[in-house]
């Protein structure tokens, strides 16, 4: 085994002594250290292809309680369990035909499936918020896969932000959220997708969209047939996924979407090559100068964070098309703008 002092030598002190956060490149040695921390009930920041997560051993209630406390997350909002593949999923949920089809088509990847839970003690009650279902996802990221494989069981992980804030797509943003409260953040650059996973309910009544995300709905429907749009996935006020009832994805300053003008002291977030875009602004960024929705998704949270830090009084965001990944981008913008005083 690779020895990496002092992390592996001092597993017990990490919570009681509030260690300073260590950000380490996700080398094999650092991943090994992270696995030891998870085994010892610690919480680790790690990259996935969607956003950075705050990982804990799914069967350890103390570790899971630490995750909720770090995020300031309401106890009624369950976590996603990250698995190594269909075989691990089958130890946790009932996998029937449609779920199997979706897993085979889209795992590993940015699709989370909410399924009937059958895993006994494998995922602690706190992580499931006491529900009879569990949200499962196999991440498509070598670091996340190595962590799950090394631990040998599921890792529960919410996005690595404080509750109600923007999800982090870089390790620096994770460090900014939790300063010295995390013993280890595995760093592997910016996330390739940049939006959280699409969350889909799978039941005898069919498929329901609980949260639009990094896998576009038309891609899912092409494989699995029609998906019901639950009211929760289109309005923050009628939640189906428990997490959608809370204000989400919010920058610290007011945000206006579909903006065609700029107001006093606002920053501007553009999209595409738009000759009619308003000029000026406290700061200006473009989600994708070419008008590519995948690029826009990748840039969304990081650019909102930069504009928030620019000293502007608010952010005006250009219209973004609603097809493909645009649905999830517009969802996040809508949630950020609700709760804003415009
Ligand atoms: O891409 C992602 O999904 C990232 C990375 C780290 O995997 N994770 C993430 O987790 O976004 P979180 O906790 O920030 O969002 C999970 C969402 C919440 O809205 C939660 O309410 C919903 O999934 N959810 C979890 N378990 C559920 C369940 N059993 N039924 C319905 N919704 C559930
Ligand atoms: Mg989140």
């Amino acid at each position: 085994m690779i020895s990496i002092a002092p992390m592996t030598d001092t597993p017990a002190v990490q919570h009681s002594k509030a260690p300073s956060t260590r950000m380490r490149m996700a080398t094999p040695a650092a991943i090994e250290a992270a696995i030891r921390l998870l085994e010892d009930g610690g919480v680790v920041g790690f990259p996935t292809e969607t956003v950075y997560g705050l990982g804990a051993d799914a069967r350890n209630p103390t570790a899971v309680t630490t995750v909720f406390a770090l995020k300031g997350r309401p106890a009624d909002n369950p976590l996603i369990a990250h698995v190594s593949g269909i075989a691990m999923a089958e130890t946790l949920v009932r996998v029937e035909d449609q779920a199997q089809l979706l897993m085979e088509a889209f795992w590993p990847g940015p699709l989370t499936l909410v399924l009937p839970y059958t895993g006994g003690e494998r995922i602690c009650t706190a992580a499931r918020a006491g529900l009879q279902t569990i949200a499962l996802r196999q991440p498509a990221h070598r670091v996340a896969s190595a962590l799950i494989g090394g631990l040998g069981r599921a890792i529960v992980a919410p996005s690595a932000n404080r509750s109600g804030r923007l999800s982090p797509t870089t390790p620096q943003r994770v460090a900014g959220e939790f300063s010295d409260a995390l013993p280890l953040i595995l760093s592997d650059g910016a996330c390739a997708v940049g939006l959280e996973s699409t969350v889909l309910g799978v039941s005898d009544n069919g498929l329901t969209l609980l949260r639009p995300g990094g896998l576009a709905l038309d891609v899912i429907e092409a494989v699995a047939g029609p998906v019901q749009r639950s009211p929760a996935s289109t309005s923050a006020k009628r939640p189906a996924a428990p997490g959608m009832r809370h204000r989400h994805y919010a920058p610290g300053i007011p945000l206006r979407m579909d903006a065609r003008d700029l107001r006093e002291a606002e920053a501007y977030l553009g999209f595409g090559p738009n000759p009619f875009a308003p000029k000026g602004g406290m700061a200006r960024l473009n989600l994708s100068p070419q008008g590519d929705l995948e690029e826009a998704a990748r840039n969304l949270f990081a650019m909102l964070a930069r504009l928030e830090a620019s000293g502007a009084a608010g952010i005006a965001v250009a219209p973004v098309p609603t097809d493909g990944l645009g649905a999830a981008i517009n969802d996040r913008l809508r949630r950020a703008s609700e709760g804003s005083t415009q």
Side-chain angles (χ1 to χ4, degrees):
M1 202 202 77
I2 315 152
S3 97
I4 343 104
M7 304 300 297
T8 48
D9 296 338
T10 55
V13 297
Q14 65 240 9
H15 301 310
S16 52
K17 298 252 173 78
S20 58
T21 295
R22 287 187 63 188
M23 197 194 298
R24 293 178 62 179
M25 289 283 295
T27 60
I31 291 171
E32 189 67 30
I35 294 164
R36 297 286 93 81
L37 273 168
L38 292 168
E39 282 172 343
D40 291 332
V43 174
V44 169
F46 70 101
T48 82
E49 81 281 28
T50 58
V51 299
Y52 273 72
L54 210 52
D57 179 352
R59 73 172 191 195
N60 184 330
T62 312
V64 168
T65 304
T66 306
V67 170
F68 278 88
L70 279 168
K71 277 187 68 93
R73 182 177 177 112
D76 63 358
N77 189 3
L79 303 180
I80 295 173
H82 297 71
V83 296
S84 56
I86 298 180
M88 189 183 279
E90 282 170 340
T91 69
L92 301 171
V93 293
R94 216 172 46 238
V95 180
E96 286 171 358
D97 290 355
Q98 211 166 22
Q100 174 107 21
L101 179 77
L102 287 162
M103 289 172 183
E104 283 172 358
F106 299 116
W107 280 9
L111 177 66
T112 294
L113 300 174
V114 175
L115 292 158
Y117 182 68
T118 56
E121 303 300 308
R122 290 194 179 92
I123 312 265
C124 66
T125 309
R128 290 184 285 114
L131 299 181
Q132 300 306 309
T133 56
I134 182 80
L136 294 185
R137 173 166 115 77
Q138 181 189 4
H141 195 290
R142 66 162 186 104
V143 176
S145 305
L147 287 179
I148 302 162
L151 186 66
R153 47 186 184 265
I155 293 177
V156 283
S159 50
N161 52 281
R162 293 188 191 269
S163 221
R165 302 259 313 138
L166 293 165
S167 293
T169 53
T170 65
Q172 291 76 19
R173 295 287 308 166
V174 182
E177 284 292 278
F178 297 105
S179 57
D180 59 357
L182 274 181
L184 179 59
I185 299 168
L186 291 177
S187 146
D188 194 39
C191 299
V193 175
L195 289 174
E196 306 89 339
S197 60
T198 300
V199 181
L200 213 57
V202 185
S203 75
D204 297 340
N205 302 324
L207 305 176
T208 309
L209 179 67
L210 301 177
R211 176 179 74 179
L215 184 66
L217 207 52
D218 53 322
V219 178
I220 298 172
E221 289 189 318
V223 167
V227 173
Q228 295 169 55
R229 277 72 167 161
S230 91
S233 66
T234 51
S235 160
K237 295 184 180 96
R238 304 258 324 263
M244 301 309 253
R245 88 169 61 93
H246 309 286
R247 186 175 177 234
H248 255 74
Y249 316 115
I253 52 177
L255 181 146
R256 289 192 300 130
M257 58 191 301
D258 295 323
R260 290 177 171 80
D261 62 345
L262 257 175
R263 297 181 189 164
E264 172 115 17
E266 274 183 337
Y268 185 67
L269 185 57
F271 175 85
N274 179 2
F276 304 108
K279 306 279 179 263
M282 288 283 289
R284 297 179 71 86
L285 291 171
N286 194 316
L287 286 168
S288 169
Q290 273 76 51
D292 175 334
L293 287 167
E294 283 185 21
E295 182 183 24
R298 214 161 33 241
N299 284 332
L300 179 69
F301 290 142
M303 287 190 171
L304 287 176
R306 281 170 60 191
L307 293 179
E308 180 187 345
S310 70
I315 305 173
V317 187
V320 177
T322 54
D323 59 309
L325 287 184
I329 294 171
N330 278 284
D331 170 78
R332 302 307 187 267
L333 290 172
R334 189 163 46 244
R335 287 172 200 287
S337 69
E338 287 172 0
S340 291
T341 45
Q342 295 199 16

